Amino acid sequence: MTISHDTSAPLFVVVGATGNQGGSVIKMLSESSGHYRIRALTRDATKPRAEELSRAGVEMIVVGPVLENKIEIFKAFEGATYAFTPDGLIVRSIQDAALGKLYVDAAFAAKVQLLLWAGLPDMAMASEGKYKRVGEFDGKAEVSRYAQDVGIPFVNIQPGWYMQEFLTVDKPKKQKDGSFAVFGVGDPQTLVPLVDSTRDYGVYVLKAIELFETRSIESGHDILAFTEEISFDEIMAQLSENTSQKVVYVKVDEKQFLDSLMLKDLTRPQALDTLEMYQAMAEFGYYGKQSAGQPLQGLAKIPRTWREFIKENDWSEVLS
């Protein structure tokens, strides 16, 4: 990992440095041909990953993502040339949009040349009001609109469905016959745009900078950060093929899905929000459209496919 300490080098502020997106951005910046100073914001500098970044030359700033830290957040952005803010760390609901807007304000006050933001589409708008509880998407879309209104140069790099989810929150559940199943409310042929967020999200951030600086895209442009778009059935078929375990996708009704969410210790309102999110994605597509189209080309490195991700990870605990 090579990080510049030359004060003439552009300063890149990264929020959520120890997370999937922020960590991927720092890794790609350090491996790129460009020379960047990197200032990373974290809530806990004693984490092993934060300490590793510090040893590599990243300037670590301890400041939590809460509205009460406005002064500290603004100070952390001072002098920045570029800034990146992740999605899940600061905006998980429509109520969290105020925090996302605070980071936009901090970047605007610092007069950054470009803000890279991990937003998502407005599902309430995409569904013409049918789904109004998809706060995790709609809150991020609200921040994107705010950035547009403020007039800050920004690119909205929308992450696809994390491949890592199938190792954690969406991991297959063992059935009585010894097989494994992932349950959902969408059709088995629903297309899902996948991305290995830890390894590859930063690749799309680098490409966004390149496209913006060469004026190939304008402020407010959406970049869809995904490697491939495949169905739930195909996701499970490849998982079965490469793990020697039978894994299937099973479509269930609303009640069954809600019951399964409640077993994950979600409150009923949280479960209802999650249900609508999956319903909206099933009906209108993950990006608010039936197909995400072709993946972005000309990246600094080839993103990992789902099949490659399966082979690169240990599934023994998940499928046991």
Side-chain angles (χ1 to χ4, degrees):
M1 181 178 282
T2 303
I3 296 168
S4 177
H5 297 283
D6 186 342
T7 56
S8 66
L11 174 62
F12 208 121
V13 170
V14 179
V15 179
T18 60
N20 284 340
Q21 294 175 359
S24 181
V25 170
I26 291 177
K27 186 173 187 297
M28 286 309 303
L29 289 174
S30 67
E31 294 176 355
S32 73
S33 58
H35 297 281
Y36 299 96
R37 290 177 293 145
I38 301 177
R39 179 182 296 159
L41 278 59
T42 181
R43 69 181 80 195
D44 184 1
T46 65
K47 286 182 178 180
R49 177 56 180 157
E51 292 179 341
E52 180 184 339
L53 291 172
S54 180
R55 288 193 296 271
V58 175
E59 178 188 1
M60 303 300 296
I61 304 293
V62 179
V63 54
V66 293
L67 293 172
E68 291 74 16
N69 287 341
K70 177 180 178 179
I71 293 175
E72 292 86 352
I73 291 171
F74 268 61
K75 183 173 179 59
F77 274 71
E78 288 179 358
T81 311
Y82 305 100
F84 169 75
T85 58
D87 56 2
L89 174 70
I90 57 176
V91 181
R92 290 194 176 98
S93 69
I94 195 71
Q95 290 76 24
D96 291 338
L99 182 56
K101 293 175 181 178
L102 172 59
Y103 282 94
V104 172
D105 289 340
F108 183 75
K111 298 180 181 177
V112 299
Q113 292 181 18
L114 182 64
L115 171 65
L116 294 309
W117 155 248
L120 282 171
D122 189 327
M123 283 299 189
M125 184 178 297
S127 68
E128 297 183 347
K130 181 175 181 179
Y131 298 110
K132 300 178 180 179
R133 298 186 65 116
V134 194
E136 187 166 344
F137 278 61
D138 299 348
K140 296 174 178 66
E142 175 64 24
V143 175
S144 297
R145 285 192 291 270
Y146 180 75
Q148 192 85 50
D149 292 342
V150 166
I152 187 172
F154 83 102
V155 178
N156 183 11
I157 308 163
Q158 301 185 19
W161 189 305
Y162 290 2
M163 295 178 186
Q164 285 80 2
E165 299 284 273
F166 293 107
L167 285 165
T168 54
V169 295
D170 291 320
K171 65 182 180 182
K173 297 176 178 60
K174 194 167 189 177
Q175 305 303 292
K176 292 180 179 179
D177 64 359
S179 66
F180 294 84
V182 171
F183 299 92
V185 292
D187 187 88
Q189 295 305 311
T190 297
L191 295 175
V192 184
L194 297 174
V195 65
D196 182 343
S197 59
T198 303
R199 178 185 183 271
D200 295 329
Y201 183 78
V203 179
Y204 297 90
V205 172
L206 276 185
K207 188 63 176 179
I209 296 171
E210 175 193 324
L211 292 173
F212 185 80
E213 291 187 339
T214 57
R215 300 187 178 181
S216 299
I217 59 174
E218 297 180 350
S219 177
H221 185 84
D222 294 337
I223 287 179
L224 307 186
F226 73 101
T227 304
E228 59 182 339
E229 191 177 37
I230 58 179
S231 70
F232 282 118
D233 267 355
E234 180 60 23
I235 289 170
M236 302 310 152
Q238 290 187 25
L239 187 54
S240 298
E241 179 185 338
N242 289 277
T243 60
S244 300
Q245 295 281 2
K246 182 181 179 182
V247 189
V248 297
Y249 174 83
V250 179
K251 182 179 179 180
V252 296
D253 60 30
E254 290 184 18
K255 183 180 183 307
Q256 289 174 300
F257 191 66
L258 277 174
D259 289 344
S260 70
L261 292 173
M262 299 294 282
L263 291 174
K264 297 180 180 179
D265 295 327
L266 296 181
T267 64
R268 184 165 181 79
Q270 289 173 330
L272 288 169
D273 290 350
T274 303
L275 169 64
E276 279 216 0
M277 179 177 71
Y278 280 88
Q279 288 176 321
M281 288 190 294
E283 186 171 347
F284 295 96
Y286 180 91
Y287 286 122
K289 55 187 75 173
Q290 289 304 319
S291 174
Q294 293 298 313
L296 189 64
Q297 302 298 308
L299 299 170
K301 71 176 180 180
I302 300 174
R304 181 176 286 165
T305 65
W306 170 238
R307 189 181 300 277
E308 291 167 342
F309 178 84
I310 296 170
K311 293 178 178 179
E312 289 294 325
N313 283 276
D314 181 4
W315 296 84
S316 58
E317 289 189 15
V318 174
L319 302 176
S320 63

